[in-house]
Amino acid sequence: MKDALKDLSAPRLCKSWGNLLAAGTVLALAAVFFAVEWPLAWQEDSLGRHTLCWWYVLAFIGLSALAAALCLVRVRLSPVAKEGLSWGLVAALPLGAFVAVEVINSTRIWQFPVRRWLANYLCYLLVFTLAYALTRRAWAAVAIGGAVAITFGIANYFVVQFRGQPILPWDFQSFSTALTVSGGYEYVPTRKMAVAAMGYICAVVLCYRLAPHGVPSASRRFRLTERFVALGVSSVLLMMLFPLNGLSGLGISVWTWNQKTSSEITGVAAGFFANVQFMQVETPAGYSGKRVKDLAEKLEQLPDPAPLGRPGGLPTVVAIMNESLTDLGSLDTLEFTPDNQPLLHSLQRSGQVVWGTAYSSVYGGNTCNSEYEFLTGNTMAFLPSGSKPYQQYIDSPHSGLPDILKSYGYHCTAIHPGNRTAWQRIDAYPHLGFDEFVDAEIFDVKRSFEHRLTSDRSCYEQVIYEYERWKKLDGGPLFLFNVTIQNHGGYEDPHYPSRITIEGAKGMWPQAEQYLSLTKSSDNALKYLLDYFEDRPDPVVVLLFGDHWPKLEEGFNQAVLQSYDTTKDMYRVPFFIWANYPLQGEELEAVSLNYLSGLLLRAAGLQGTAYTNYLEELRQTLPVVTDIGYMDKSGGYYRADDPLPGALSQRLNEYAVLQYNNSFDAEGKAQQLFAREPSTVEAERKAV
């Protein structure tokens, strides 16, 4: 110990050009950031006056000066002291990374019990020790581990702002999609981000100055031993966190129905890692070949549901999933001037459409999951929370609405005015049975834009183009599935005029007003489409539904929901089925997206499969089954984690068994339940 301390000298200034350049660079970058983001230095008080935010100014300038000073300081340490300090810094700084990420995301960190601090600390320690194993340099481990933590924390903040839920493990499979749509949002750094980033720079410089190199005299065996020890620690942490589910033992549990709040009370990193346990699709309780066989016998006895319309032939089937479309006026809490959805409301009053309130499994994003539920009849309720079926599970032919329609001879075309690789639609659509996929690059009509995105009017012009082209080819019946993009999040376009105002709150929520104005354009475009099909001599049926709520100002959400249940009603979207032939009009007060394809088949006068018949029968008991919760026929609502009454629990388990057999049991799949028998196809086409 004496020898170790003997070589320790007091800190001294190092005036080499390299160190002076590093210090100058730190100060220059800090000055540029402070100047560019000068509004961060000011805050508005309760009276609307702007005052200097002293804590931010002092913290940012102080950390900038400290980082520059550390670039000029040299401390001589003995080799033994360096090694001890290296391990000490790698062990201690994950705690700082944890605090920084939580502060950036404004979680309830200061209310966390000790074991929750420990759970999050271990998550960051895993990253730091792995970085040390790869580099065997404390400063490099801190630089890599800290960069990962700070980047993750900042990205999580923006994802929550734009989507309403934190980053989840499956989001990394959607990275290219996120980049595609990220341009529509406004990224404004916060004071906490700036201070955390500068603190990170200080930590890296400090580590480099105190322990910049390894032990010069260390043998190759010693260096390998160090790496293996660090790798061993990270491996133990990995095993403890995942296969052994150590986070659960430390009090970390996930609220799958409300990931945002769950992340706030568990910690961002612990919440993220805890969700990894849901990546594997669990086999439903009681699943077996015999159980499937017994259910198959039951399903085959179910009668075909009565048609909702008689088109007199095979109608053109059009399904439109409208981006971020919801009917905020249906809540009757705020008044919008003028009415932002007059056509939708007139259709609802007409008594000539099937319409109502549908419930989605997602909020603010993850459009592909709504597509999946509609097209397959499956529900996200039985899949890992936050998963993306298109990217994780649709890798082979999959039963669903396109497959059923193809059995009648339909040509199935999907239309989406975005990048064809988004959500891996280019791979998923063929497996789902689509014959063609028209994306933005091959639109045949000239596209117009609303707040930088392809307008609904352009989408519907492409729908009409495909319809007319196919009619000229006389190619048989046609199914068109259009996913729009106009109303996608990012409602801060300064060049897009807001034409809808909120009574008594004009200008208070500009994002909400911009969104409402976009839905007015959607409503106008919808009128154009229905007016066109109204005059067609051949039968046409159109389904329109929203995929999820938009992510708007929190104050607006509170005002528009008021006494509503936010865990349920922030997932409401409108739907209707219209036809240019008589329909049995009715209102459905509640239905989830997985049931809409069955209703569309009935409106088209077409029979489905034993599975779609089962879903129509199940809808009478459990009209809403989503990843967020369930609703029974009397309107009773149960969150996803709530226990269900025995009879409902049994029905839900039946559904889970059938979905698992349909999607994940390739060898034991009861094919007759999910596909139409070829021998009956021609006869039923003639019957229609």
Side-chain angles (χ1 to χ4, degrees):
M1 177 63 71
K2 290 182 179 179
D3 293 336
L5 296 175
K6 183 171 61 178
D7 295 330
L8 178 63
S9 62
R12 61 183 64 182
L13 289 178
C14 180
K15 300 180 180 179
S16 68
W17 283 108
N19 290 289
L20 290 172
L21 179 61
T25 300
V26 168
L27 290 176
L29 291 176
V32 169
F33 179 86
F34 193 84
V36 171
E37 298 296 338
W38 64 268
L40 295 179
W42 298 91
Q43 60 186 355
E44 187 174 334
D45 63 19
S46 58
L47 299 177
R49 296 173 302 190
H50 287 82
T51 59
L52 201 62
C53 184
W54 286 105
W55 77 262
Y56 166 70
V57 173
L58 293 176
F60 187 83
I61 293 177
L63 288 172
S64 302
L66 177 60
L70 289 172
C71 291
L72 301 175
V73 170
R74 174 182 295 172
V75 178
R76 296 184 182 277
L77 295 173
S78 70
V80 175
K82 287 180 180 180
E83 283 303 296
L85 187 58
S86 296
W87 281 97
L89 290 171
V90 172
L93 287 175
L95 186 62
F98 159 55
V99 172
V101 170
E102 301 305 311
V103 169
I104 288 172
N105 285 273
S106 300
T107 65
R108 306 172 193 178
I109 179 174
W110 309 119
Q111 300 175 17
F112 289 1
V114 173
R115 60 178 184 169
R116 200 167 296 165
W117 277 68
L118 177 60
N120 283 274
Y121 167 75
L122 294 177
C123 294
Y124 291 101
L125 183 62
L126 169 63
V127 177
F128 277 68
T129 53
L130 184 59
Y132 192 94
L134 294 173
T135 64
R136 207 178 68 81
R137 298 289 188 274
W139 70 268
V142 170
I144 295 171
V148 169
I150 296 296
T151 302
F152 176 69
I154 293 174
N156 188 80
Y157 170 86
F158 285 119
V159 169
V160 170
Q161 297 306 304
F162 301 148
R163 193 180 69 186
Q165 68 174 6
I167 295 175
L168 297 170
W170 303 271
D171 291 327
F172 289 96
Q173 296 174 296
S174 330
F175 187 69
S176 61
T177 301
L179 291 179
T180 300
V181 302
S182 61
Y185 295 102
E186 184 179 358
Y187 300 87
V188 179
T190 67
R191 300 182 185 97
K192 293 174 182 178
M193 288 180 193
V195 171
M198 193 53 65
Y200 159 70
I201 292 173
C202 286
V204 174
V205 175
L206 175 64
C207 290
Y208 186 82
R209 302 310 296 165
L210 293 180
H213 306 292
V215 182
S217 60
S219 65
R220 182 171 180 272
R221 178 179 296 180
F222 179 83
R223 294 195 297 269
L224 286 175
T225 299
E226 264 198 319
R227 291 184 188 274
F228 278 115
V229 169
L231 187 61
V233 172
S234 60
S235 298
V236 169
L237 289 171
L238 190 66
M239 291 288 293
M240 185 177 70
L241 294 177
F242 298 122
L244 300 180
N245 195 18
L247 290 175
S248 178
L250 291 171
I252 302 297
S253 60
V254 176
W255 293 3
T256 57
W257 51 273
N258 191 340
Q259 291 279 2
K260 179 178 180 292
T261 301
S262 180
S263 177
E264 291 172 353
I265 63 176
T266 63
V268 176
F272 175 85
F273 281 115
N275 270 289
V276 173
Q277 65 181 306
F278 299 116
M279 293 186 72
Q280 184 66 37
V281 179
E282 294 185 2
T283 305
Y287 186 86
S288 67
K290 183 180 183 307
R291 180 82 187 284
V292 172
K293 182 179 178 181
D294 292 342
L295 283 173
E297 292 176 356
K298 175 183 175 181
L299 265 61
E300 289 167 354
Q301 301 302 315
L302 293 175
D304 293 320
L308 296 172
R310 296 193 179 277
L314 292 174
T316 296
V317 178
V318 180
I320 300 167
M321 190 178 78
N322 196 282
E323 172 66 44
S324 300
L325 184 71
T326 192
D327 183 8
L328 296 170
S330 66
L331 298 169
D332 293 325
T333 51
L334 296 177
E335 185 176 345
F336 310 128
T337 306
D339 184 357
N340 64 309
Q341 294 169 300
L343 176 65
L344 175 66
H345 298 149
S346 67
L347 289 173
Q348 293 170 347
R349 294 190 298 266
S350 70
Q352 299 174 358
V353 297
V354 179
W355 69 281
T357 299
Y359 287 82
S360 171
S361 286
V362 294
Y363 167 78
N366 295 332
T367 293
C368 62
N369 291 358
S370 295
E371 288 185 50
Y372 169 80
E373 290 189 312
F374 164 66
L375 291 170
T376 65
N378 294 338
T379 173
M380 294 299 300
F382 306 138
L383 299 178
S385 176
S387 58
K388 313 295 186 298
Y390 276 12
Q391 295 158 300
Q392 294 173 255
Y393 314 127
I394 308 295
D395 54 5
S396 60
H398 201 289
S399 305
L401 179 61
D403 187 56
I404 294 171
L405 292 174
K406 285 170 73 73
S407 74
Y408 284 97
Y410 276 78
H411 180 82
C412 300
T413 299
I415 303 170
H416 177 58
N419 190 314
R420 65 197 298 104
T421 62
W423 298 125
Q424 293 183 329
R425 289 185 176 97
I426 185 60
D427 299 318
Y429 279 165
H431 291 315
L432 288 167
F434 285 102
D435 302 294
E436 290 184 81
F437 177 23
V438 179
D439 74 330
E441 294 184 0
I442 55 177
F443 251 51
D444 297 280
V445 303
K446 184 178 180 180
R447 290 187 293 154
S448 60
F449 297 86
E450 299 265 357
H451 88 136
R452 303 183 302 275
L453 298 171
T454 303
S455 68
D456 284 4
R457 173 65 179 253
S458 293
C459 280
Y460 299 159
E461 288 175 348
Q462 183 67 34
V463 167
I464 292 172
Y465 175 90
E466 295 293 336
Y467 168 81
E468 293 181 342
R469 178 180 72 88
W470 197 248
K471 286 299 176 182
K472 289 178 182 178
L473 294 174
D474 194 23
L478 178 65
F479 170 48
L480 296 170
F481 176 53
N482 175 214
V483 178
T484 72
I485 200 172
Q486 171 188 294
N487 301 331
H488 195 284
Y491 311 110
E492 298 117 353
D493 186 346
H495 305 295
Y496 189 82
S498 293
R499 302 182 297 277
I500 305 295
T501 59
I502 303 167
E503 287 296 312
K506 183 178 180 180
M508 184 179 297
W509 299 301
Q511 292 181 37
E513 289 183 347
Q514 188 165 121
Y515 167 76
L516 291 167
S517 300
L518 286 166
T519 60
K520 182 67 168 69
S521 294
S522 292
D523 200 69
N524 293 338
L526 181 62
K527 185 177 187 306
Y528 161 78
L529 180 71
L530 298 188
D531 284 349
Y532 172 84
F533 281 127
E534 180 74 45
D535 298 329
R536 296 308 98 193
D538 53 303
V540 179
V541 60
V542 177
L543 161 69
L544 179 137
F545 65 98
D547 60 346
H548 54 70
W549 261 48
K551 180 66 174 66
L552 301 173
E553 294 98 336
E554 190 62 32
F556 174 80
N557 286 341
Q558 293 173 359
V560 77
L561 286 168
Q562 294 187 19
S563 60
Y564 283 85
D565 182 355
T566 56
T567 63
K568 171 173 67 76
D569 292 299
M570 288 182 74
Y571 297 87
R572 295 165 54 120
V573 293
F575 86 94
F576 70 81
I577 302 175
W578 170 96
N580 62 357
Y581 52 85
L583 281 182
Q584 180 181 318
E586 65 173 306
E587 177 186 0
L588 301 179
E589 293 185 1
V591 63
S592 45
L593 301 184
N594 53 307
Y595 294 122
L596 293 184
S597 56
L599 288 168
L600 179 59
L601 286 171
R602 292 179 61 193
L606 303 175
Q607 295 180 10
T609 64
Y611 187 50
T612 60
N613 291 350
Y614 167 79
L615 291 177
E616 270 296 277
E617 190 263 344
L618 179 65
R619 184 174 64 82
Q620 313 307 317
T621 304
L622 278 170
V624 172
V625 179
T626 72
D627 186 40
I628 311 304
Y630 321 108
M631 189 183 299
D632 61 27
K633 61 183 179 182
S634 64
Y637 186 75
Y638 307 86
R639 296 187 312 192
D641 296 335
D642 291 341
L644 287 173
L648 293 182
S649 179
Q650 182 178 352
R651 295 306 308 274
L652 201 64
N653 179 255
E654 286 180 354
Y655 188 6
V657 167
L658 290 168
Q659 177 169 314
Y660 188 88
N661 182 259
N662 182 21
S663 303
F664 302 106
D665 189 358
E667 294 183 2
K669 182 173 180 177
Q671 189 67 35
Q672 75 277 13
L673 299 181
F674 309 104
R676 288 166 38 78
E677 295 182 14
S679 60
T680 67
V681 170
E682 190 60 35
E684 292 183 2
R685 287 183 62 181
K686 291 179 179 178
V688 172

